[in-house]
Amino acid sequence: MARVSANKMRELLKVYFIMGSVNCKRKPADVLEEAIAGGITLFQYREKGAWALTGEEKWRLGKELQAICQKHHIPFIVNDDVDLAIELDADGVHIGQEDEPADLVRKKIGDKILGVSAHTIEEAQKAVVQGADYIGVGPIFSTNTKEDAKKPQGPKLIESMRKQGIDIPIVGIGGINIANAGQVIASGADGISVISAICLADDVKESAAQLKKETM
Ligand code: TZP
Ligand code: MG
């Protein structure tokens, strides 16, 4: 397998759904099935927070959600846990600035997809050099989902990254919903990543479908 191309990555980032058991009011597998039916393009298993599963339970839910993704040909990315990503033979891993350095993670995962969170131009440039396939930029808007989220940056941060020549695939994150997704794309992002706008929607499938329309 070769590294994912930038163009393919841009397509995959359009509607990037992130979720773990903590984010769901219903069975995670049902939420994921409905989100896929609505047209999500990429999925990240993010089992994080005070009530998150650990150990074998974390592995088991990952395995279940991965199987759903495989059935529908949606790439399955693991947040933070590089070892779990390798154990499950996931399609990729997403790491933050406080995790292992991206170049070391790249060595461990070979050609799997590597996403890195970046909050500044410098972090974005470094991620590119260290072998990221895409960067996640945010929080764009204020969010209640991530307890330790930084101050919202607005779509302007992505706009200024683009202006300064950062051309790696970018996905915006944080507080993104149907009403503001268009602004994120207009700022130069290739896609949007969301937790609550899909996870907590009354109609998960419809919400995913509407978000997708905003990225077209
Ligand atoms: N990283 C920055 S903001 C955020 C993460 C994981 C949470 C996004 O959740 P929501 O519900 O889409 O605002
Ligand atoms: Mg992290």
Side-chain angles (χ1 to χ4, degrees), residues 14-15 140-141 155 158 172 174-194 197 207-208 210-216:
K14 282 197 182 308
V15 185
I140 305 292
F141 305 109
I158 296 175
I176 299 174
N177 56 39
I178 291 153
N180 62 27
Q183 291 174 57
V184 182
I185 299 300
S187 73
D190 297 290
I192 50 165
S193 58
V194 305
S207 171
Q210 287 194 24
L211 284 165
K212 192 163 190 178
K213 268 193 209 147
E214 296 299 322
T215 70
M216 307 284 231

Side-chain angles (χ1 to χ4, degrees), residues 36 114 202:
I36 292 173
L114 176 58
D202 291 330

Side-chain angles (χ1 to χ4, degrees), residues 6 19 28 62 92 98-99 108 118 128 144 150 165 170 174 189 193 195 206:
M19 177 256 275
E98 61 294 324
D99 297 313
K108 287 188 181 175
V128 172
N144 294 321
K150 296 187 191 312
I170 291 181
S193 58
I195 300 179
E206 180 59 22

Side-chain angles (χ1 to χ4, degrees), residues 4-173:
V4 65
S5 71
N7 280 342
K8 173 72 182 171
M9 195 69 242
R10 289 183 210 285
E11 285 302 313
L12 291 176
L13 290 177
K14 282 197 182 308
V15 185
Y16 188 178
F17 179 41
I18 302 176
M19 177 256 275
S21 63
V22 176
N23 308 119
C24 292
K25 287 189 293 192
R26 296 186 292 128
K27 210 173 153 250
D30 293 344
V31 174
L32 180 56
E33 286 276 10
E34 290 163 32
I36 292 173
I40 64 159
T41 50
L42 189 61
F43 175 69
Q44 181 188 120
Y45 178 45
R46 181 176 180 274
E47 194 56 32
K48 211 167 172 169
W51 303 100
L53 303 176
T54 57
E56 186 156 341
E57 284 185 321
K58 179 181 179 184
W59 183 90
R60 205 174 300 125
L61 179 59
K63 195 84 184 158
E64 182 185 10
L65 299 179
Q66 180 183 31
I68 293 169
C69 286
Q70 284 171 341
K71 183 172 70 176
H72 298 285
H73 308 289
I74 299 296
F76 174 85
I77 309 291
V78 173
N79 182 71
D80 279 358
D81 193 336
V82 180
D83 293 338
L84 180 66
I86 293 169
E87 254 176 66
L88 291 174
D89 193 20
D91 299 294
V93 60
H94 184 96
I95 56 169
Q97 292 292 323
E98 61 294 324
D99 297 313
E100 250 180 293
D103 47 358
L104 294 185
V105 175
R106 167 56 75 203
K107 284 205 181 93
K108 287 188 181 175
I109 66 170
D111 287 340
K112 291 184 191 297
I113 293 171
L114 176 58
V116 177
S117 299
H119 313 92
T120 62
I121 307 280
E122 290 71 29
E123 287 176 2
Q125 285 166 335
K126 191 167 169 199
V128 172
V129 171
Q130 293 190 327
D133 293 306
Y134 74 89
I135 57 172
V137 177
I140 305 292
F141 305 109
S142 75
T143 175
N144 294 321
T145 309
K146 186 175 158 82
E147 287 139 25
D148 59 344
K150 296 187 191 312
K151 192 168 152 273
Q153 303 289 319
K156 274 207 175 68
L157 176 59
I158 296 175
E159 209 178 294
S160 76
M161 283 179 176
R162 289 306 193 207
K163 279 195 184 129
Q164 295 186 64
I166 304 287
D167 70 351
I168 188 171
I170 291 181
V171 69
I173 186 164

